[in-house]
PDB file of all heavy atoms in Angstrom:
ATOM      1  N   ALA A  54     160.475 -75.917  10.530  1.00 98.00           N
ATOM      2  CA  ALA A  54     160.894 -75.355  11.682  1.00 98.00           C
ATOM      3  C   ALA A  54     162.454 -75.088  11.631  1.00 98.00           C
ATOM      4  O   ALA A  54     163.186 -75.789  11.027  1.00 98.00           O
ATOM      5  CB  ALA A  54     160.572 -76.210  12.915  1.00 98.00           C
ATOM      6  N   ASP A  55     162.841 -74.004  12.410  1.00 98.00           N
ATOM      7  CA  ASP A  55     164.282 -73.635  12.433  1.00 98.00           C
ATOM      8  C   ASP A  55     165.174 -74.870  12.792  1.00 98.00           C
ATOM      9  O   ASP A  55     166.192 -75.136  12.193  1.00 98.00           O
ATOM     10  CB  ASP A  55     164.439 -72.502  13.474  1.00 98.00           C
ATOM     11  CG  ASP A  55     163.884 -71.206  13.003  1.00 98.00           C
ATOM     12  OD1 ASP A  55     163.405 -71.106  11.891  1.00 98.00           O
ATOM     13  OD2 ASP A  55     163.893 -70.273  13.853  1.00 98.00           O
ATOM     14  N   ASP A  56     164.724 -75.537  13.903  1.00 97.00           N
ATOM     15  CA  ASP A  56     165.561 -76.675  14.361  1.00 97.00           C
ATOM     16  C   ASP A  56     165.761 -77.751  13.394  1.00 97.00           C
ATOM     17  O   ASP A  56     166.838 -78.400  13.313  1.00 97.00           O
ATOM     18  CB  ASP A  56     164.987 -77.231  15.630  1.00 97.00           C
ATOM     19  CG  ASP A  56     165.209 -76.319  16.855  1.00 97.00           C
ATOM     20  OD1 ASP A  56     165.964 -75.329  16.777  1.00 97.00           O
ATOM     21  OD2 ASP A  56     164.593 -76.503  17.864  1.00 97.00           O
ATOM     22  N   GLU A  57     164.751 -77.957  12.552  1.00 98.00           N
ATOM     23  CA  GLU A  57     164.762 -79.094  11.633  1.00 98.00           C
ATOM     24  C   GLU A  57     165.885 -78.649  10.452  1.00 98.00           C
ATOM     25  O   GLU A  57     166.577 -79.498  10.028  1.00 98.00           O
ATOM     26  CB  GLU A  57     163.476 -79.325  10.904  1.00 98.00           C
ATOM     27  CG  GLU A  57     162.463 -79.998  11.824  1.00 98.00           C
ATOM     28  CD  GLU A  57     161.182 -80.318  11.055  1.00 98.00           C
ATOM     29  OE1 GLU A  57     161.153 -81.126  10.132  1.00 98.00           O
ATOM     30  OE2 GLU A  57     160.150 -79.562  11.345  1.00 98.00           O
ATOM     31  N   ILE A  58     165.832 -77.450  10.072  1.00 98.00           N
ATOM     32  CA  ILE A  58     166.834 -76.961   8.983  1.00 98.00           C
ATOM     33  C   ILE A  58     168.228 -76.989   9.645  1.00 98.00           C
ATOM     34  O   ILE A  58     169.145 -77.516   8.968  1.00 98.00           O
ATOM     35  CB  ILE A  58     166.510 -75.540   8.565  1.00 98.00           C
ATOM     36  CG1 ILE A  58     165.110 -75.535   7.776  1.00 98.00           C
ATOM     37  CG2 ILE A  58     167.529 -74.961   7.619  1.00 98.00           C
ATOM     38  CD1 ILE A  58     164.629 -74.124   7.348  1.00 98.00           C
ATOM     39  N   LEU A  59     168.338 -76.501  10.866  1.00 97.00           N
ATOM     40  CA  LEU A  59     169.657 -76.430  11.443  1.00 97.00           C
ATOM     41  C   LEU A  59     170.209 -77.880  11.695  1.00 97.00           C
ATOM     42  O   LEU A  59     171.420 -78.121  11.469  1.00 97.00           O
ATOM     43  CB  LEU A  59     169.587 -75.695  12.739  1.00 97.00           C
ATOM     44  CG  LEU A  59     169.422 -74.208  12.552  1.00 97.00           C
ATOM     45  CD1 LEU A  59     169.116 -73.521  13.915  1.00 97.00           C
ATOM     46  CD2 LEU A  59     170.459 -73.482  11.821  1.00 97.00           C
ATOM     47  N   ASP A  60     169.427 -78.734  12.206  1.00 97.00           N
ATOM     48  CA  ASP A  60     169.877 -80.161  12.422  1.00 97.00           C
ATOM     49  C   ASP A  60     170.327 -80.793  11.067  1.00 97.00           C
ATOM     50  O   ASP A  60     171.345 -81.476  10.992  1.00 97.00           O
ATOM     51  CB  ASP A  60     168.742 -80.984  13.058  1.00 97.00           C
ATOM     52  CG  ASP A  60     168.475 -80.657  14.473  1.00 97.00           C
ATOM     53  OD1 ASP A  60     169.281 -79.875  15.066  1.00 97.00           O
ATOM     54  OD2 ASP A  60     167.447 -81.067  15.078  1.00 97.00           O
ATOM     55  N   ALA A  61     169.551 -80.564  10.054  1.00 97.00           N
ATOM     56  CA  ALA A  61     169.896 -81.134   8.671  1.00 97.00           C
ATOM     57  C   ALA A  61     171.209 -80.564   8.206  1.00 97.00           C
ATOM     58  O   ALA A  61     172.011 -81.239   7.601  1.00 97.00           O
ATOM     59  CB  ALA A  61     168.718 -80.873   7.708  1.00 97.00           C
ATOM     60  N   PHE A  62     171.328 -79.220   8.441  1.00 97.00           N
ATOM     61  CA  PHE A  62     172.512 -78.542   7.972  1.00 97.00           C
ATOM     62  C   PHE A  62     173.794 -79.084   8.747  1.00 97.00           C
ATOM     63  O   PHE A  62     174.777 -79.401   8.199  1.00 97.00           O
ATOM     64  CB  PHE A  62     172.455 -77.042   8.210  1.00 97.00           C
ATOM     65  CG  PHE A  62     173.442 -76.219   7.405  1.00 97.00           C
ATOM     66  CD1 PHE A  62     173.094 -75.699   6.130  1.00 97.00           C
ATOM     67  CD2 PHE A  62     174.695 -75.983   7.964  1.00 97.00           C
ATOM     68  CE1 PHE A  62     174.048 -74.999   5.431  1.00 97.00           C
ATOM     69  CE2 PHE A  62     175.635 -75.261   7.215  1.00 97.00           C
ATOM     70  CZ  PHE A  62     175.259 -74.757   6.048  1.00 97.00           C
ATOM     71  N   HIS A  63     173.657 -79.164  10.051  1.00 93.00           N
ATOM     72  CA  HIS A  63     174.817 -79.609  10.938  1.00 93.00           C
ATOM     73  C   HIS A  63     175.166 -81.101  10.398  1.00 93.00           C
ATOM     74  O   HIS A  63     176.386 -81.402  10.250  1.00 93.00           O
ATOM     75  CB  HIS A  63     174.379 -79.742  12.414  1.00 93.00           C
ATOM     76  CG  HIS A  63     174.385 -78.427  13.008  1.00 93.00           C
ATOM     77  ND1 HIS A  63     175.504 -77.583  13.127  1.00 93.00           N
ATOM     78  CD2 HIS A  63     173.394 -77.728  13.667  1.00 93.00           C
ATOM     79  CE1 HIS A  63     175.085 -76.560  13.811  1.00 93.00           C
ATOM     80  NE2 HIS A  63     173.942 -76.562  14.117  1.00 93.00           N
ATOM     81  N   GLU A  64     174.236 -81.977  10.344  1.00 93.00           N
ATOM     82  CA  GLU A  64     174.491 -83.348   9.967  1.00 93.00           C
ATOM     83  C   GLU A  64     175.151 -83.430   8.618  1.00 93.00           C
ATOM     84  O   GLU A  64     176.111 -84.151   8.392  1.00 93.00           O
ATOM     85  CB  GLU A  64     173.139 -84.192   9.998  1.00 93.00           C
ATOM     86  CG  GLU A  64     173.410 -85.633   9.675  1.00 93.00           C
ATOM     87  CD  GLU A  64     172.066 -86.500   9.679  1.00 93.00           C
ATOM     88  OE1 GLU A  64     171.069 -85.860  10.093  1.00 93.00           O
ATOM     89  OE2 GLU A  64     172.127 -87.601   9.386  1.00 93.00           O
ATOM     90  N   ALA A  65     174.585 -82.701   7.631  1.00 93.00           N
ATOM     91  CA  ALA A  65     175.184 -82.821   6.209  1.00 93.00           C
ATOM     92  C   ALA A  65     176.518 -82.229   6.210  1.00 93.00           C
ATOM     93  O   ALA A  65     177.446 -82.827   5.626  1.00 93.00           O
ATOM     94  CB  ALA A  65     174.255 -82.024   5.318  1.00 93.00           C
ATOM     95  N   GLN A  66     176.794 -81.134   6.888  1.00 90.00           N
ATOM     96  CA  GLN A  66     178.113 -80.505   6.779  1.00 90.00           C
ATOM     97  C   GLN A  66     179.180 -81.383   7.471  1.00 90.00           C
ATOM     98  O   GLN A  66     180.277 -81.540   6.950  1.00 90.00           O
ATOM     99  CB  GLN A  66     178.058 -79.124   7.445  1.00 90.00           C
ATOM    100  CG  GLN A  66     179.397 -78.466   7.441  1.00 90.00           C
ATOM    101  CD  GLN A  66     179.325 -77.000   7.887  1.00 90.00           C
ATOM    102  OE1 GLN A  66     179.425 -76.029   7.177  1.00 90.00           O
ATOM    103  NE2 GLN A  66     179.255 -76.897   9.170  1.00 90.00           N
ATOM    104  N   ASN A  67     178.939 -81.893   8.667  1.00 85.00           N
ATOM    105  CA  ASN A  67     179.850 -82.775   9.305  1.00 85.00           C
ATOM    106  C   ASN A  67     180.140 -84.099   8.492  1.00 85.00           C
ATOM    107  O   ASN A  67     181.195 -84.512   8.539  1.00 85.00           O
ATOM    108  CB  ASN A  67     179.301 -83.127  10.733  1.00 85.00           C
ATOM    109  CG  ASN A  67     179.264 -81.971  11.653  1.00 85.00           C
ATOM    110  OD1 ASN A  67     180.006 -81.018  11.429  1.00 85.00           O
ATOM    111  ND2 ASN A  67     178.523 -82.027  12.754  1.00 85.00           N
ATOM    112  N   THR A  68     179.170 -84.587   7.815  1.00 85.00           N
ATOM    113  CA  THR A  68     179.366 -85.723   6.935  1.00 85.00           C
ATOM    114  C   THR A  68     180.263 -85.370   5.798  1.00 85.00           C
ATOM    115  O   THR A  68     181.247 -86.085   5.415  1.00 85.00           O
ATOM    116  CB  THR A  68     178.065 -86.312   6.435  1.00 85.00           C
ATOM    117  OG1 THR A  68     177.244 -86.722   7.546  1.00 85.00           O
ATOM    118  CG2 THR A  68     178.297 -87.552   5.493  1.00 85.00           C
ATOM    119  N   LEU A  69     180.012 -84.190   5.147  1.00 87.00           N
ATOM    120  CA  LEU A  69     180.747 -83.904   3.985  1.00 87.00           C
ATOM    121  C   LEU A  69     182.150 -83.403   4.289  1.00 87.00           C
ATOM    122  O   LEU A  69     183.013 -83.627   3.497  1.00 87.00           O
ATOM    123  CB  LEU A  69     180.031 -82.682   3.294  1.00 87.00           C
ATOM    124  CG  LEU A  69     178.672 -83.045   2.578  1.00 87.00           C
ATOM    125  CD1 LEU A  69     177.933 -81.779   2.189  1.00 87.00           C
ATOM    126  CD2 LEU A  69     178.906 -83.851   1.355  1.00 87.00           C
ATOM    127  N   LYS A  70     182.407 -82.991   5.510  1.00 79.00           N
ATOM    128  CA  LYS A  70     183.763 -82.593   5.869  1.00 79.00           C
ATOM    129  C   LYS A  70     184.668 -83.802   5.966  1.00 79.00           C
ATOM    130  O   LYS A  70     185.891 -83.645   6.012  1.00 79.00           O
ATOM    131  CB  LYS A  70     183.807 -81.896   7.294  1.00 79.00           C
ATOM    132  CG  LYS A  70     183.383 -80.402   7.180  1.00 79.00           C
ATOM    133  CD  LYS A  70     183.422 -79.849   8.604  1.00 79.00           C
ATOM    134  CE  LYS A  70     182.920 -78.424   8.634  1.00 79.00           C
ATOM    135  NZ  LYS A  70     182.738 -77.924  10.030  1.00 79.00           N
ATOM    136  N   THR A  71     184.160 -84.983   6.079  1.00 75.00           N
ATOM    137  CA  THR A  71     184.985 -86.158   6.235  1.00 75.00           C
ATOM    138  C   THR A  71     185.591 -86.577   4.888  1.00 75.00           C
ATOM    139  O   THR A  71     186.534 -87.467   4.929  1.00 75.00           O
ATOM    140  CB  THR A  71     184.212 -87.281   6.868  1.00 75.00           C
ATOM    141  OG1 THR A  71     183.118 -87.657   5.955  1.00 75.00           O
ATOM    142  CG2 THR A  71     183.570 -86.910   8.235  1.00 75.00           C
ATOM    143  N   SER A  72     185.108 -86.081   3.876  1.00 71.00           N
ATOM    144  CA  SER A  72     185.729 -86.435   2.547  1.00 71.00           C
ATOM    145  C   SER A  72     186.868 -85.504   2.230  1.00 71.00           C
ATOM    146  O   SER A  72     187.292 -84.741   3.027  1.00 71.00           O
ATOM    147  CB  SER A  72     184.651 -86.396   1.449  1.00 71.00           C
ATOM    148  OG  SER A  72     183.958 -85.056   1.459  1.00 71.00           O
ATOM    149  N   GLU A  73     187.361 -85.541   0.956  1.00 83.00           N
ATOM    150  CA  GLU A  73     188.434 -84.819   0.584  1.00 83.00           C
ATOM    151  C   GLU A  73     188.336 -83.242   0.858  1.00 83.00           C
ATOM    152  O   GLU A  73     187.262 -82.742   0.549  1.00 83.00           O
ATOM    153  CB  GLU A  73     188.814 -85.063  -0.954  1.00 83.00           C
ATOM    154  CG  GLU A  73     190.087 -84.392  -1.500  1.00 83.00           C
ATOM    155  CD  GLU A  73     190.318 -84.666  -2.895  1.00 83.00           C
ATOM    156  OE1 GLU A  73     189.494 -85.528  -3.454  1.00 83.00           O
ATOM    157  OE2 GLU A  73     191.190 -84.097  -3.483  1.00 83.00           O
ATOM    158  N   TYR A  74     189.381 -82.606   1.187  1.00 90.00           N
ATOM    159  CA  TYR A  74     189.398 -81.139   1.511  1.00 90.00           C
ATOM    160  C   TYR A  74     188.981 -80.420   0.165  1.00 90.00           C
ATOM    161  O   TYR A  74     189.426 -80.692  -0.896  1.00 90.00           O
ATOM    162  CB  TYR A  74     190.629 -80.639   1.966  1.00 90.00           C
ATOM    163  CG  TYR A  74     190.651 -79.067   2.055  1.00 90.00           C
ATOM    164  CD1 TYR A  74     190.047 -78.452   3.167  1.00 90.00           C
ATOM    165  CD2 TYR A  74     191.073 -78.327   1.030  1.00 90.00           C
ATOM    166  CE1 TYR A  74     189.991 -77.068   3.191  1.00 90.00           C
ATOM    167  CE2 TYR A  74     191.037 -76.869   1.008  1.00 90.00           C
ATOM    168  CZ  TYR A  74     190.417 -76.343   2.186  1.00 90.00           C
ATOM    169  OH  TYR A  74     190.417 -74.927   2.211  1.00 90.00           O
ATOM    170  N   ARG A  75     188.041 -79.491   0.412  1.00 93.00           N
ATOM    171  CA  ARG A  75     187.743 -78.410  -0.579  1.00 93.00           C
ATOM    172  C   ARG A  75     187.435 -77.095   0.159  1.00 93.00           C
ATOM    173  O   ARG A  75     187.082 -77.222   1.322  1.00 93.00           O
ATOM    174  CB  ARG A  75     186.638 -78.797  -1.615  1.00 93.00           C
ATOM    175  CG  ARG A  75     185.282 -79.091  -0.951  1.00 93.00           C
ATOM    176  CD  ARG A  75     185.240 -80.475  -0.579  1.00 93.00           C
ATOM    177  NE  ARG A  75     183.906 -80.994  -0.415  1.00 93.00           N
ATOM    178  CZ  ARG A  75     183.643 -81.941   0.445  1.00 93.00           C
ATOM    179  NH1 ARG A  75     184.483 -82.333   1.257  1.00 93.00           N
ATOM    180  NH2 ARG A  75     182.361 -82.405   0.537  1.00 93.00           N
ATOM    181  N   ARG A  76     187.410 -76.059  -0.513  1.00 95.00           N
ATOM    182  CA  ARG A  76     187.204 -74.718   0.142  1.00 95.00           C
ATOM    183  C   ARG A  76     185.812 -74.734   0.803  1.00 95.00           C
ATOM    184  O   ARG A  76     184.885 -75.404   0.381  1.00 95.00           O
ATOM    185  CB  ARG A  76     187.407 -73.613  -0.771  1.00 95.00           C
ATOM    186  CG  ARG A  76     188.772 -73.448  -1.203  1.00 95.00           C
ATOM    187  CD  ARG A  76     188.975 -72.245  -2.126  1.00 95.00           C
ATOM    188  NE  ARG A  76     188.657 -70.945  -1.319  1.00 95.00           N
ATOM    189  CZ  ARG A  76     188.580 -69.761  -1.898  1.00 95.00           C
ATOM    190  NH1 ARG A  76     188.829 -69.587  -3.209  1.00 95.00           N
ATOM    191  NH2 ARG A  76     188.312 -68.716  -1.152  1.00 95.00           N
ATOM    192  N   TYR A  77     185.720 -73.924   1.870  1.00 95.00           N
ATOM    193  CA  TYR A  77     184.469 -73.813   2.743  1.00 95.00           C
ATOM    194  C   TYR A  77     183.362 -73.421   1.850  1.00 95.00           C
ATOM    195  O   TYR A  77     182.211 -73.793   2.040  1.00 95.00           O
ATOM    196  CB  TYR A  77     184.668 -72.959   3.854  1.00 95.00           C
ATOM    197  CG  TYR A  77     183.590 -73.151   4.947  1.00 95.00           C
ATOM    198  CD1 TYR A  77     183.344 -74.447   5.457  1.00 95.00           C
ATOM    199  CD2 TYR A  77     182.812 -72.060   5.308  1.00 95.00           C
ATOM    200  CE1 TYR A  77     182.385 -74.601   6.407  1.00 95.00           C
ATOM    201  CE2 TYR A  77     181.831 -72.280   6.193  1.00 95.00           C
ATOM    202  CZ  TYR A  77     181.584 -73.500   6.822  1.00 95.00           C
ATOM    203  OH  TYR A  77     180.546 -73.710   7.757  1.00 95.00           O
ATOM    204  N   ARG A  78     183.552 -72.431   0.918  1.00 96.00           N
ATOM    205  CA  ARG A  78     182.484 -71.884   0.160  1.00 96.00           C
ATOM    206  C   ARG A  78     181.787 -73.074  -0.684  1.00 96.00           C
ATOM    207  O   ARG A  78     180.631 -73.067  -0.808  1.00 96.00           O
ATOM    208  CB  ARG A  78     182.966 -70.862  -0.844  1.00 96.00           C
ATOM    209  CG  ARG A  78     181.856 -70.075  -1.626  1.00 96.00           C
ATOM    210  CD  ARG A  78     182.560 -69.154  -2.608  1.00 96.00           C
ATOM    211  NE  ARG A  78     183.187 -67.972  -1.905  1.00 96.00           N
ATOM    212  CZ  ARG A  78     182.597 -66.869  -1.506  1.00 96.00           C
ATOM    213  NH1 ARG A  78     181.236 -66.767  -1.699  1.00 96.00           N
ATOM    214  NH2 ARG A  78     183.312 -65.936  -0.916  1.00 96.00           N
ATOM    215  N   GLN A  79     182.662 -73.994  -1.231  1.00 95.00           N
ATOM    216  CA  GLN A  79     182.184 -75.175  -1.906  1.00 95.00           C
ATOM    217  C   GLN A  79     181.423 -76.053  -1.060  1.00 95.00           C
ATOM    218  O   GLN A  79     180.424 -76.559  -1.318  1.00 95.00           O
ATOM    219  CB  GLN A  79     183.330 -75.866  -2.638  1.00 95.00           C
ATOM    220  CG  GLN A  79     182.847 -77.092  -3.411  1.00 95.00           C
ATOM    221  CD  GLN A  79     183.949 -77.727  -4.156  1.00 95.00           C
ATOM    222  OE1 GLN A  79     185.054 -77.363  -4.228  1.00 95.00           O
ATOM    223  NE2 GLN A  79     183.689 -79.041  -4.544  1.00 95.00           N
ATOM    224  N   LEU A  80     182.006 -76.227   0.112  1.00 95.00           N
ATOM    225  CA  LEU A  80     181.387 -77.169   1.180  1.00 95.00           C
ATOM    226  C   LEU A  80     179.959 -76.575   1.547  1.00 95.00           C
ATOM    227  O   LEU A  80     179.043 -77.390   1.736  1.00 95.00           O
ATOM    228  CB  LEU A  80     182.258 -77.228   2.403  1.00 95.00           C
ATOM    229  CG  LEU A  80     181.774 -78.170   3.504  1.00 95.00           C
ATOM    230  CD1 LEU A  80     181.596 -79.612   3.062  1.00 95.00           C
ATOM    231  CD2 LEU A  80     182.736 -78.111   4.675  1.00 95.00           C
ATOM    232  N   LEU A  81     179.918 -75.265   1.773  1.00 96.00           N
ATOM    233  CA  LEU A  81     178.630 -74.623   2.057  1.00 96.00           C
ATOM    234  C   LEU A  81     177.539 -74.911   1.013  1.00 96.00           C
ATOM    235  O   LEU A  81     176.381 -75.168   1.220  1.00 96.00           O
ATOM    236  CB  LEU A  81     178.767 -73.140   2.330  1.00 96.00           C
ATOM    237  CG  LEU A  81     179.312 -72.740   3.644  1.00 96.00           C
ATOM    238  CD1 LEU A  81     179.628 -71.243   3.646  1.00 96.00           C
ATOM    239  CD2 LEU A  81     178.541 -73.118   4.801  1.00 96.00           C
ATOM    240  N   ALA A  82     178.064 -74.828  -0.330  1.00 96.00           N
ATOM    241  CA  ALA A  82     177.080 -75.057  -1.443  1.00 96.00           C
ATOM    242  C   ALA A  82     176.619 -76.451  -1.427  1.00 96.00           C
ATOM    243  O   ALA A  82     175.430 -76.679  -1.690  1.00 96.00           O
ATOM    244  CB  ALA A  82     177.817 -74.615  -2.721  1.00 96.00           C
ATOM    245  N   GLU A  83     177.612 -77.406  -1.245  1.00 94.00           N
ATOM    246  CA  GLU A  83     177.224 -78.737  -1.241  1.00 94.00           C
ATOM    247  C   GLU A  83     176.284 -79.081  -0.054  1.00 94.00           C
ATOM    248  O   GLU A  83     175.232 -79.890  -0.286  1.00 94.00           O
ATOM    249  CB  GLU A  83     178.429 -79.608  -1.112  1.00 94.00           C
ATOM    250  CG  GLU A  83     179.384 -79.585  -2.246  1.00 94.00           C
ATOM    251  CD  GLU A  83     180.731 -80.365  -1.981  1.00 94.00           C
ATOM    252  OE1 GLU A  83     180.701 -81.132  -1.022  1.00 94.00           O
ATOM    253  OE2 GLU A  83     181.591 -80.229  -2.862  1.00 94.00           O
ATOM    254  N   THR A  84     176.534 -78.558   1.066  1.00 96.00           N
ATOM    255  CA  THR A  84     175.661 -78.753   2.244  1.00 96.00           C
ATOM    256  C   THR A  84     174.282 -78.186   2.037  1.00 96.00           C
ATOM    257  O   THR A  84     173.201 -78.833   2.311  1.00 96.00           O
ATOM    258  CB  THR A  84     176.263 -78.058   3.496  1.00 96.00           C
ATOM    259  OG1 THR A  84     177.517 -78.609   3.729  1.00 96.00           O
ATOM    260  CG2 THR A  84     175.431 -78.288   4.722  1.00 96.00           C
ATOM    261  N   ALA A  85     174.147 -76.943   1.484  1.00 96.00           N
ATOM    262  CA  ALA A  85     172.796 -76.412   1.246  1.00 96.00           C
ATOM    263  C   ALA A  85     172.116 -77.177   0.277  1.00 96.00           C
ATOM    264  O   ALA A  85     170.841 -77.328   0.285  1.00 96.00           O
ATOM    265  CB  ALA A  85     173.085 -74.917   0.790  1.00 96.00           C
ATOM    266  N   SER A  86     172.805 -77.625  -0.840  1.00 96.00           N
ATOM    267  CA  SER A  86     172.107 -78.461  -1.808  1.00 96.00           C
ATOM    268  C   SER A  86     171.579 -79.776  -1.195  1.00 96.00           C
ATOM    269  O   SER A  86     170.439 -80.195  -1.479  1.00 96.00           O
ATOM    270  CB  SER A  86     173.060 -78.746  -2.941  1.00 96.00           C
ATOM    271  OG  SER A  86     172.526 -79.595  -3.895  1.00 96.00           O
TER     272      SER A  86
END
Side-chain angles (χ1 to χ4, degrees):
D55 291 355
D56 286 348
E57 290 185 68
I58 294 175
L59 292 171
D60 287 347
F62 197 95
H63 285 299
E64 181 179 356
Q66 181 174 251
N67 290 339
T68 298
L69 290 167
K70 277 180 187 171
T71 62
S72 56
E73 183 179 356
Y74 171 81
R75 60 275 201 211
R76 292 185 64 187
Y77 193 60
R78 189 183 292 274
Q79 180 181 345
L80 181 61
L81 285 174
E83 293 174 13
T84 301
S86 177

